[in-house]
């Protein structure tokens, strides 16, 4: 029998869960927090999806919507913190689901989580490519005039390859990069806020920021006072927050590389959400106060870059875009780390085709480099539809991004609900909600359910079947892709997977696991 005295407390807990220590456990608690904070990235989401809130609700969708939705997401994060404290494994979400709900729950949750992570990694890299292109365009008219989807895609491929190389070199390198990323996000956001507070000659009034409403969705001819505005248009704008504050499950996926994981990974999840919510709110308010011409912003489809063009000279405009672009590069590298660890863990349990390849760990760097390569190749392939546009918009790729976010949050909901169902049978780790789980877990599941409904609704009248202005190019394909994905998984499970996927496997001798029960 193995000598249990040689195991550290982290290795001992991992062995209790059935796994030997394969990855290099050299991440501090701060580094664990840093990767989730970097993936949430207020320098990414607050910039790239600002238009979603402006066009669907206007300033009130941000000044009121951001803090309200952030608090609900924090509740989701707190419930997940309790779960990672009890089960600190790289599998994270799907492992929890399998442990509490059986192989089927783990299989569906794992694939939703993995598909979501793959698509989010690709979308972040593509967003970084877009902003890199935009940044150069502010200082070079020739570059600006040569903009194309092909050029953006080529930049995206370079960025994706760069993030892969950084991840393959070693886990410790990424820990250092994520630590630097935190300070870049803090200092960068502070600089953006100061610039927007000092440089513009005029600012919007507080009353405008907290009361002005906009409806550029196309619904109800721009009405901003009826029920459709409050219960359809405005909620669509709230998706800005839901899009931005996601990916915090990275703290769970890196738990096998984190010291004192049962405590550190739990704190990493909720702290990354809380600090991002506060920093993002200040950043977004600075955008709103700096708006010079609201109608011009609407004419520019609500793109945040219009604000900078209105309010700032070229030099300051370039600086802000540069800060955001660099933040998005940090975010992309962190996303690749999280995705590769999820692919590694899911393959370790035999759930993926070619699992033996993706579960391999480089003995020198202790990094699952094959999983990194797989994530990179899939990211490049699923982003290829961005080369084709409808009216200048890469509609097919945006649909992939939608299913990514839906997949991630649906994956979150499964173990959160299963933990609530277990009640007192659940054995918590060192970080626990106590009896508060009884209402917090239900609130978290309800929030995810409601948001998922809004994610699948048409975003414009032209995307509503039966509308006289209906066009297929305006359709929100998220419900089709979501149901299609679930259908494929259901058929796969029924026909094949249920016969060979039995849930998490053990990679450590059975006698070691049994010894913990002696």
């Amino acid at each position: 029998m193995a000598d249990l005295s040689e195991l550290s407390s982290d290795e001992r807990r991992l062995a209790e869960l059935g796994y030997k220590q394969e990855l290099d456990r050299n991440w501090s608690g701060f580094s664990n927090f840093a990767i989730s904070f970097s993936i949430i990235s207020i320098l990414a989401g607050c910039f790239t999806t600002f238009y979603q809130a402006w066009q669907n609700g206007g300033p009130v969708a941000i000044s009121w919507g951001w803090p309200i939705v952030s608090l609900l997401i924090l509740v989701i994060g707190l419930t997940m913190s309790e779960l990672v404290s009890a089960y600190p494994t790289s599998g994270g979400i799907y492992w929890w689901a399998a442990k509490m709900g059986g192989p089927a729950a783990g299989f569906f949750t794992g694939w939703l989580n993995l598909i979501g992570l793959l698509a989010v990694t690709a979308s972040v890299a593509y967003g970084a490519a877009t902003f890199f292109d935009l940044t150069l365009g502010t200082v070079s008219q020739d570059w600006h005039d040569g903009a194309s989807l092909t050029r953006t895609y080529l930049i995206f491929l370079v960025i994706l390859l760069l993030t892969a190389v950084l991840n393959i070199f070693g886990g410790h390198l990424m820990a250092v990069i994520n630590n630097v990323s935190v300070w870049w996000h803090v200092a960068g956001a502070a600089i953006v806020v100061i610039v927007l507070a000092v440089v513009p000659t005029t600012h919007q009034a507080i009353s405008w920021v907290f009361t002005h409403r906009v409806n550029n969705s196309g619904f109800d001819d721009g009405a901003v006072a009826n029920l459709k505005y409050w219960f359809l248009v405005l909620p669509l704008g709230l998706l800005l927050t839901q899009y931005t504050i996601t990916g915090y499950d990275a703290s769970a996926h890196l738990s096998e590389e984190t010291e004192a994981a049962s405590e550190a990974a739990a704190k990493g999840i909720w702290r990354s959400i809380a600090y991002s919510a506060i920093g993002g709110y200040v950043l977004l308010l600075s955008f709103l106060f700096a708006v010079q011409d609201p109608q011009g912003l609407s004419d520019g489809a609500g793109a945040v870059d219009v604000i900078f063009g209105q309010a700032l000279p070229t030099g300051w405009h370039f600086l802000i875009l540069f800060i955001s672009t660099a933040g998005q590069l940090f975010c992309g590298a962190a996303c690749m780390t999280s995705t590769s660890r999820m692919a590694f863990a899911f393959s370790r349990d035999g759930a993926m085709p070619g699992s033996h390849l993706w579960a391999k760990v480089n003995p020198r760097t202790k990094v699952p480099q094959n999983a990194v390569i797989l994530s990179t190749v899939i990211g490049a392939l699923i982003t290829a539809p961005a080369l084709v546009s409808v009216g200048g918009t890469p509609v097919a790729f945006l649909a992939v991004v939608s299913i990514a976010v839906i997949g991630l949050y649906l994956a979150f909901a499964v173990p959160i609900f299963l933990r609530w169902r277990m009640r007192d049978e659940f054995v918590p780790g060192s970080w626990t909600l106590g009896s508060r789980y009884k209402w917090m877990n239900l609130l978290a599941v309800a929030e995810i359910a409601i948001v998922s409904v809004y994610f699948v609704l048409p975003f414009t009248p032209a995307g509503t079947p039966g509308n006289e202005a209906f066009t297929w190019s305006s359709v929100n394909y998220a419900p089709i892709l979501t149901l299609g994905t679930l259908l494929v998984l259901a058929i796969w499970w029924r026909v094949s997977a249920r016969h060979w996927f039995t849930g998490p496997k053990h990679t450590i001798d059975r006698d070691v696991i049994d010894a913990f029960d002696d």
Side-chain angles (χ1 to χ4, degrees):
M1 183 181 295
D3 185 358
L4 302 184
S5 64
E6 296 179 358
L7 300 178
S8 68
S9 58
D10 284 309
E11 291 172 337
R12 184 183 180 91
R13 180 55 184 147
L14 191 60
E16 290 174 349
L17 298 175
Y19 299 111
K20 62 182 178 181
Q21 185 72 48
E22 295 182 88
L23 303 174
D24 197 7
R25 195 179 288 273
N26 58 14
W27 286 52
S28 66
F30 182 80
S31 296
N32 184 280
F33 151 79
I35 188 169
S36 287
F37 186 77
S38 296
I39 290 176
I40 293 174
S41 184
I42 58 175
L43 292 178
C46 291
F47 283 76
T48 59
T49 52
F50 176 88
Y51 74 92
Q52 178 72 25
W54 179 266
Q55 298 292 76
N56 299 279
V60 297
I62 298 169
S63 57
W64 292 103
W66 178 275
I68 292 171
V69 177
S70 292
L71 284 173
L72 293 172
I73 295 175
L74 180 59
V75 171
I76 296 173
L78 289 168
T79 64
M80 291 171 60
S81 291
E82 182 179 54
L83 287 166
V84 74
S85 181
Y87 310 125
T89 74
S90 292
I93 316 300
Y94 94 86
W95 201 98
W96 309 338
K99 175 71 174 179
M100 296 182 290
F107 183 79
F108 279 85
T109 302
W111 276 106
L112 286 172
N113 192 206
L114 182 58
I115 291 170
L117 287 171
L118 287 166
V120 165
T121 300
S123 68
V124 169
Y126 189 80
T130 301
F131 264 70
F132 180 85
D133 195 53
L134 197 62
T135 301
L136 292 182
T138 62
V139 292
S140 171
Q141 188 61 44
D142 289 340
W143 184 272
H144 178 274
D145 294 340
S148 69
L149 290 177
T150 300
R151 188 174 73 185
T152 302
Y153 184 76
L154 292 176
I155 296 172
F156 154 78
L157 290 179
V158 172
I159 291 174
L160 197 63
L161 182 61
L162 176 63
T163 61
V165 170
L166 289 174
N167 274 274
I168 288 174
F169 266 118
H172 183 64
L173 174 62
M174 282 308 307
V176 173
I177 289 174
N178 286 314
N179 291 350
V180 173
S181 171
V182 170
W183 300 114
W184 181 272
H185 277 78
V186 172
I191 291 172
V192 172
V193 170
I194 292 171
V195 168
L196 291 176
V198 174
V199 177
T201 55
T202 61
H203 292 87
Q204 292 291 342
I206 294 177
S207 59
W208 182 88
V209 169
F210 285 91
T211 63
H212 189 66
R213 298 189 291 260
V214 173
N215 178 6
N216 292 328
S217 66
F219 291 110
D220 270 11
D221 296 322
V224 294
N226 56 16
L227 290 177
K228 186 169 286 188
Y229 171 82
W230 292 108
F231 290 98
L232 175 61
V233 177
L234 182 61
L236 292 177
L238 301 182
L239 297 183
L240 158 68
T241 316
Q242 206 80 31
Y243 271 123
T244 301
I245 307 181
T246 192
Y248 41 85
D249 56 317
S251 289
H253 297 309
L254 272 295
S255 59
E256 289 185 32
E257 297 165 70
T258 301
E259 299 168 352
S262 289
E263 191 78 18
K267 292 178 179 178
I269 290 177
W270 77 260
R271 286 177 175 174
S272 64
I273 296 171
Y275 298 159
S276 295
I278 295 170
Y281 190 48
V282 174
L283 188 63
L284 287 166
L285 288 179
S286 74
F287 294 170
L288 293 177
F289 279 111
V291 173
Q292 306 294 302
D293 177 12
Q295 185 55 52
L297 180 55
S298 294
D299 292 341
V304 71
D305 185 55
V306 175
I307 298 176
F308 308 144
Q310 291 177 351
L312 303 171
T314 300
W316 292 113
H317 186 177
F318 171 84
L319 175 64
I320 287 182
L321 291 182
F322 173 78
I323 290 172
S324 174
T325 301
Q328 291 177 53
L329 292 174
F330 279 121
C331 177
C335 284
M336 182 64 75
T337 306
S338 180
T339 303
S340 62
R341 297 320 187 263
M342 168 56 191
F344 156 76
F346 210 29
S347 297
R348 180 174 59 184
D349 292 328
M352 294 177 61
S355 287
H356 66 287
L357 288 174
W358 321 127
K360 284 185 177 179
V361 175
N362 184 303
R364 183 178 61 84
T365 61
K366 293 189 177 181
V367 169
Q369 63 182 35
N370 288 352
V372 174
I373 295 171
L374 176 68
S375 302
T376 304
V377 172
I378 292 178
L381 292 176
I382 65 175
T383 312
L387 288 166
V388 180
S389 70
V390 178
T393 302
V395 175
F397 177 66
L398 294 179
V400 172
V401 175
S402 294
I403 181 59
V405 179
I406 295 172
L408 283 178
Y409 273 99
L410 288 178
F412 293 172
V414 175
I416 292 173
F417 172 76
L418 291 173
R419 186 272 174 265
W420 176 84
R421 192 181 68 174
M422 286 185 70
R423 299 185 182 275
D424 293 338
E425 293 180 15
F426 176 81
V427 180
S430 60
W431 197 99
T432 177
L433 294 174
S435 62
R436 291 184 293 272
Y437 82 86
K438 294 178 181 179
W439 65 267
M440 294 180 75
N441 285 54
L442 286 181
L443 179 60
V445 172
E447 197 273 353
I448 292 171
I450 293 170
V451 165
S452 295
V453 170
Y454 279 104
F455 265 117
V456 300
L457 292 177
F459 287 135
T460 66
T464 307
N467 187 285
E468 61 181 13
F470 175 81
T471 61
W472 284 105
S473 63
S474 300
V475 168
N476 178 7
Y477 288 93
I480 300 172
L481 290 172
T482 301
L483 293 175
T485 299
L486 292 173
L487 179 61
V488 169
L489 289 175
I491 294 173
W492 187 13
W493 175 259
R494 185 67 183 173
V495 173
S496 174
R498 67 191 177 98
H499 299 297
W500 47 262
F501 182 73
T502 57
K505 296 180 179 179
H506 295 146
T507 63
I508 198 168
D509 292 341
R510 183 74 224 182
D511 60 349
V512 175
I513 301 172
D514 293 339
F516 291 107
D517 298 325
D518 293 343

